[in-house]
Amino acid sequence: MPSSRLRLLLLVAVVRGAMRPGAVNNRFPDDFLFGAASASYQVEGGWDADGKGEGIWDRMFHEHPEFSRDGQNGDVADDSYHLYKEDVKLLKELGVNHYRFSISWPRIMPTGEANNINQPGIDYYNNLINELLDNGIQPMVTMYHWDLPQWLQDLGGWTNPIIVDYFEDYARVLYETYGDRVKWWSTFNEPKSFIMGYSRDDGLIAPSIKKPGVGDYLATHHLLIAHARAYHLYDEQYRAKQQGKVSIALNTDWHEPLTNSTEDIAAADRAMQFDFGLFAHPIFSTEGDYPPLLRERIDNNSKAEGRTRSRLPVFSKEMVEYIRGTYDFLGLNYYSTTLVTSGLTGDNPSRERDSGIIESVDPSWPTSPSSTWLKVVPWGLRKLITWIHQNYNAPTIVITENGYSDHGTLEDTERISYYKSHMTEVLKAMNEDGAHVIGYTAWSILDNLEWNSGYTERFGVCYVNISDPARPRTPKASFYYLKNVFQTHEIQDTTDGSR
Ligand code: NOJ
């Protein structure tokens, strides 16, 4: 029998979330949410079907087919526009609680304007949502997974402040149309990734406009305001009757100092601030606004460049308050880790250069056979979750993406190992560090168009044969492995998907 002091300490630890009584690192709580994810442009196809408008990825790949590594684009992709019922069947068999998918803005609003609604597009998502619910699966909807209507891009896209009004209109249409059934919303997927569409012109991300250190910060500024608008709109007009949750899905690699030197530790912190804090601090921190470190560095650099104002726009006091706290949970995408030291690299000016960091990897880390950037570092996920827990007020976290790529083998034992080791680290963050993680979402249900890498990087737990016009789907071994985990809530110690 523990002494009363020990009992008290244990109780405090449990109440503070520092540990879960009886928790083990291979078992998820009974109410833990498992899911799988996709995104409209990567799976739907039907790029101009039934009145859909042109998106920025349509325009980019049609004008620059050479940007695609294997010549594939999203014109047909996995044809989920027609085959969504098959997708839902697979999701049901996988045993997910939720399906995280995105809505294509130009499919339902061809120009992005709310006075121009495309009914067949609206119907498509109604059908998908109803099919999911009929099969006991919760829709978890991303409003923006990078496919902006080209019409809005022609006005400057995310660099024009007017986009905020258009995004709010779009969010209103979504809440009005689908909010009776959708209870999980994310405004944006991976702002860190899509702002690169305004800093480089190599086709990595549409619209592929090279204005580094300026365009990407403008886009950041406006998407943060747009996010807050959509959140407040929900709060004021929909939350009471629809009772859902609204947030944002952020991504970053974990950045580990290259050595124990003070300089490297500071550089790794800077990397976290530039990659994650830029978006998280205004929303999730106690003080709100951009991280002070970024404000200072970018303001100083801008001054030194002889500018009259900072390249990083300034929020008014009112706007800081307006954005602060606009979340019901934090969506987190994690894939990999880098080592960081200080140094200058990248275009001058650029966000990269402003951050003053140089990244490398440990050669001993295993690499995905198809994505050179994807080093397998499971402990990075735990460190990231715990860092977020400690720095941003212990938010409720849903892992909105985590996954592994290869060339499409059905016996994907490495993907199974990846899932196994990463889920174990999630549990460690929960059980040993007290983080509040309530869900885990595998990327992806299907092999799909990996943006400019086409189908050369396949992340699916189901194989998709893209040489066949019928786009047949075949579950891989990892599908059966995850099915088992999702069913039992226990991480099985095997690397073959026992069928
Ligand atoms: C992040 C993105 O959200 C998704 O679109 C992409 O396919 C995966 N990561 C894999 O790179």
Side-chain angles (χ1 to χ4, degrees):
M1 179 79 173
S3 72
S4 54
R5 182 168 159 67
L6 184 57
R7 259 182 306 179
L8 184 68
L9 284 176
L10 281 172
L11 185 69
V12 170
V14 169
V15 169
R16 294 178 66 200
M19 57 188 287
R20 293 171 39 240
V24 282
N25 290 338
N26 70 345
R27 196 180 153 73
F28 287 93
D30 292 343
D31 57 357
F32 196 82
L33 308 173
F34 290 106
S38 74
S40 46
Y41 186 73
Q42 297 181 268
V43 299
E44 284 177 4
W47 82 274
D48 62 350
D50 307 329
K52 176 182 169 292
E54 185 188 25
I56 56 177
W57 288 85
D58 300 318
R59 172 69 63 93
M60 186 180 83
F61 281 140
H62 291 158
E63 280 188 353
H64 294 281
E66 76 281 5
F67 282 162
S68 167
R69 201 184 295 167
D70 61 357
Q72 295 289 332
N73 60 29
D75 288 3
V76 180
D78 292 345
D79 201 19
S80 288
Y81 185 64
H82 299 107
L83 301 177
Y84 70 92
K85 285 191 180 174
E86 285 192 27
D87 298 346
V88 176
K89 222 184 248 168
L90 288 165
L91 289 158
K92 181 161 194 200
E93 195 189 338
L94 184 57
V96 299
N97 164 81
H98 60 273
Y99 179 40
R100 177 177 181 258
F101 64 94
S102 77
I103 289 183
S104 160
W105 190 348
R107 188 177 297 290
I108 65 167
M109 295 156 78
T111 56
E113 300 167 291
N115 62 345
N116 182 6
I117 299 283
N118 180 39
Q119 194 55 44
I122 295 276
D123 296 345
Y124 170 67
Y125 296 109
N126 266 326
N127 292 339
L128 171 59
I129 290 165
N130 293 341
E131 186 74 11
L132 287 167
L133 290 171
D134 286 350
N135 284 282
I137 301 167
Q138 285 298 312
M140 185 178 273
V141 173
T142 309
M143 299 180 184
Y144 187 81
H145 201 127
W146 312 353
D147 40 0
L148 186 70
Q150 182 62 40
W151 191 90
L152 285 175
Q153 182 51 46
D154 293 341
L155 292 176
W158 291 103
T159 63
N160 183 343
I162 195 71
I163 190 90
V164 171
D165 293 329
Y166 286 100
F167 188 76
E168 184 179 0
D169 290 345
Y170 171 51
R172 184 179 294 105
V173 170
L174 297 182
Y175 298 146
E176 278 293 331
T177 316
Y178 306 119
D180 56 334
R181 287 152 294 153
V182 173
K183 303 303 162 194
W184 293 89
W185 297 100
S186 294
T187 51
F188 295 99
N189 174 70
E190 296 199 354
K192 168 175 122 58
S193 303
F194 81 78
I195 62 165
M196 284 194 279
Y198 298 93
S199 69
R200 45 199 289 175
D201 59 3
D202 56 358
L204 181 75
I205 301 272
S208 199
I209 291 172
K210 190 168 180 179
K211 297 278 183 284
V214 176
D216 40 3
Y217 289 141
L218 279 171
T220 300
H221 203 67
H222 301 140
L223 78 85
L224 284 167
I225 301 173
H227 160 81
R229 282 267 199 101
Y231 184 89
H232 285 295
L233 174 68
Y234 193 76
D235 241 12
E236 285 154 22
Q237 297 182 28
Y238 298 95
R239 186 185 295 280
K241 59 175 188 293
Q242 298 188 348
Q243 303 274 314
K245 297 184 196 307
V246 180
S247 194
I248 187 165
L250 301 178
N251 70 303
T252 183
D253 285 346
W254 170 249
H255 297 300
E256 182 76 6
L258 179 62
T259 71
N260 281 337
S261 73
T262 326
E263 203 188 345
D264 286 356
I265 292 171
D269 178 59
R270 269 203 314 282
M272 292 307 296
Q273 301 295 337
F274 269 85
D275 275 4
F276 197 79
L278 176 62
F279 312 98
H281 203 273
I283 300 172
F284 296 93
S285 72
T286 310
E287 322 81 68
D289 207 348
Y290 292 120
L293 180 98
L294 265 71
R295 183 80 273 161
E296 196 190 323
R297 284 181 80 92
I298 304 167
D299 288 1
N300 286 344
N301 287 351
S302 302
K303 216 177 196 173
E305 290 152 17
R307 296 171 189 269
T308 50
R309 62 186 170 277
S310 178
R311 286 183 277 103
L312 181 67
V314 175
F315 288 126
S316 67
K317 265 205 174 109
E318 294 71 38
M319 192 49 82
V320 168
E321 283 312 301
Y322 185 76
I323 297 173
R324 195 171 68 90
T326 52
Y327 66 93
D328 299 321
F329 64 97
L330 187 152
L332 181 65
N333 295 0
Y334 171 84
Y335 289 86
S336 199
T337 284
T338 70
L339 300 173
V340 173
T341 186
S342 69
L344 292 181
T345 178
D347 289 307
N348 193 9
S350 64
R351 190 171 73 90
E352 222 177 337
R353 202 167 187 84
D354 287 332
S355 73
I357 60 129
I358 293 181
E359 294 176 85
S360 60
V361 294
D362 183 329
S364 74
W365 293 340
T367 308
S368 138
S370 62
S371 311
T372 47
W373 55 271
L374 207 171
K375 310 291 169 191
V376 182
V377 192
W379 52 261
L381 177 54
R382 175 182 178 180
K383 286 203 175 190
L384 174 59
I385 293 171
T386 301
W387 181 84
I388 291 170
H389 178 71
Q390 289 166 351
N391 284 279
Y392 297 105
N393 294 315
T396 296
I397 296 173
V398 176
I399 307 292
T400 35
E401 279 183 36
N402 182 227
Y404 179 80
S405 61
D406 56 23
H407 297 293
T409 172
L410 291 180
E411 292 306 322
D412 54 343
T413 47
E414 281 161 2
R415 178 169 292 103
I416 292 175
S417 301
Y418 184 95
Y419 279 130
K420 188 165 75 169
S421 56
H422 285 73
M423 287 192 288
T424 303
E425 295 295 323
V426 172
L427 279 169
K428 286 187 196 162
M430 294 165 67
N431 297 341
E432 292 169 33
D433 309 335
H436 302 145
V437 186
I438 61 161
Y440 178 91
T441 317
W443 182 274
S444 176
I445 181 66
L446 302 176
D447 285 345
N448 58 54
L449 187 92
E450 180 58 17
W451 309 105
N452 72 330
S453 297
Y455 282 82
T456 63
E457 299 179 30
R458 288 169 175 260
F459 280 87
V461 293
C462 294
Y463 174 80
V464 177
N465 181 355
I466 54 152
S467 322
D468 185 334
R471 298 292 192 272
R473 287 103 158 100
T474 311
K476 304 176 186 175
S478 59
F479 178 97
Y480 297 99
Y481 179 81
L482 284 188
K483 178 179 171 168
N484 205 323
V485 176
F486 293 0
Q487 214 164 48
T488 60
H489 284 224
E490 231 170 80
I491 300 175
Q492 314 297 322
D493 195 20
T494 160
T495 45
D496 49 87
S498 39
R499 284 154 218 219

